[in-house]
Amino acid sequence: MRELIRAESLKLRATRSTGGLVAGLAVLEVLTVLLPLALAPLHGGRFALAGDFAQRTLACAGGTAAGLVAIVLGVLGMAGEYRHRTLTPTLLVTPDRTRLLAAKACVAAVAGGLLGAGAAAVSLAAVALGVPLRGAPLVLAGGDVAAIAVGGVLYPALAALLGLGIGAVVRDPVVAVSGMLALFFVVETVLTAVAPGPARWLPGQAGSALAFPAGPAAEGGPLGGHVLDQATGGLTLAGYVAAVGVAALLVTRRRDIT
């Protein structure tokens, strides 16, 4: 199993799309953390830099962006094998599909967690250094920082596993990625506006609750009191990951890949 994990890790590092995703995450950090930090007003309104909500949003932005990148990374980790027809030679070396999927899951979770750790560290450091430089007081407590850091690591790790499972079931990376983005940003947005109570249990909203632990000043985030707490959001997302993982395993073990 160690050799299989090592091989999958090498494959991930050698793929050009991985470098592109890391570069894309760096761009997202600039757009969602550094620019707003430099341009946000100091006082007045919900997004004033001196307030809890603005600082929390900026601190969580890195982990949230890493989660989106990790989803794509996970999808490509499995669906990319189908698209480029590299799964057949892989299975000739390792015919046990369960072990192969388990190795890919280990690599995807670690890769997602590392992306999240790096992105969350940049966001938290930017807030810790940038807010005082802008002349505003830091209002995030130590517990807030710890919760944001934990969510920033766990959310991308689970997102990568979710993407891997979806990629194994759907096989087409374009369809898988576009479908998940449509679910998160279109379907869930509409359902949140119509029925925020049930919508909080959807995977995107559960992931947001994990990556964005709401504070008292944030009033529960954009959904108000309908937002899940961080622990519940994490467990809900883990449930989706488990369900998709079982489906991926069943499909992968029975699918004809020739």
Side-chain angles (χ1 to χ4, degrees):
M1 189 66 178
R2 289 184 179 179
E3 293 298 324
L4 188 54
I5 292 176
R6 187 176 294 114
E8 289 300 321
S9 177
L10 177 61
K11 188 186 300 182
L12 178 66
R13 297 196 305 270
T15 303
R16 285 187 295 177
S17 59
T18 302
L21 289 173
V22 172
L25 178 57
V27 172
L28 288 175
E29 285 272 11
V30 172
L31 295 177
T32 61
V33 180
L34 300 183
L35 283 180
L37 183 60
L39 300 177
L42 291 180
H43 303 284
R46 193 182 190 192
F47 292 96
L49 193 59
D52 176 275
F53 184 74
Q55 293 185 21
R56 190 179 299 272
T57 300
L58 293 174
C60 296
T64 303
L68 295 177
V69 172
I71 288 175
V72 180
L73 186 72
V75 167
L76 295 180
M78 194 64 190
E81 296 256 28
Y82 286 107
R83 182 170 188 176
H84 299 293
R85 301 183 185 278
T86 57
L87 187 58
T88 299
T90 298
L91 289 175
L92 289 176
V93 177
T94 309
D96 190 333
R97 301 186 182 190
T98 301
R99 291 179 69 243
L100 176 62
L101 199 59
K104 284 184 174 293
C106 291
V107 172
V110 171
L114 290 175
L115 285 175
V122 170
S123 296
L124 288 168
V127 171
L129 297 174
V131 170
L133 288 175
R134 288 287 313 277
L138 281 172
V139 297
L140 294 179
D144 297 322
V145 173
I148 291 170
V150 169
V153 174
L154 292 181
Y155 173 48
L158 290 173
L161 290 174
L162 184 64
L164 182 74
I166 295 296
V169 173
V170 177
R171 294 198 299 178
D172 188 317
V174 175
V175 173
V177 171
S178 59
M180 294 188 73
L181 292 179
L183 171 64
F184 285 1
F185 293 105
V186 179
V187 177
E188 291 197 12
T189 299
V190 173
L191 291 177
T192 296
V194 175
R200 63 180 176 168
W201 298 101
L202 295 173
Q205 299 303 315
S208 295
L210 174 59
F212 190 105
E219 297 177 355
L223 297 186
H226 295 290
V227 173
L228 298 174
D229 62 78
Q230 187 179 38
T232 304
L235 290 174
T236 301
L237 183 60
Y240 280 108
V241 169
V244 171
V246 170
L249 179 60
L250 293 176
V251 170
T252 301
R253 291 178 63 178
R254 300 178 181 180
R255 176 177 283 152
D256 182 7
I257 63 169
T258 57

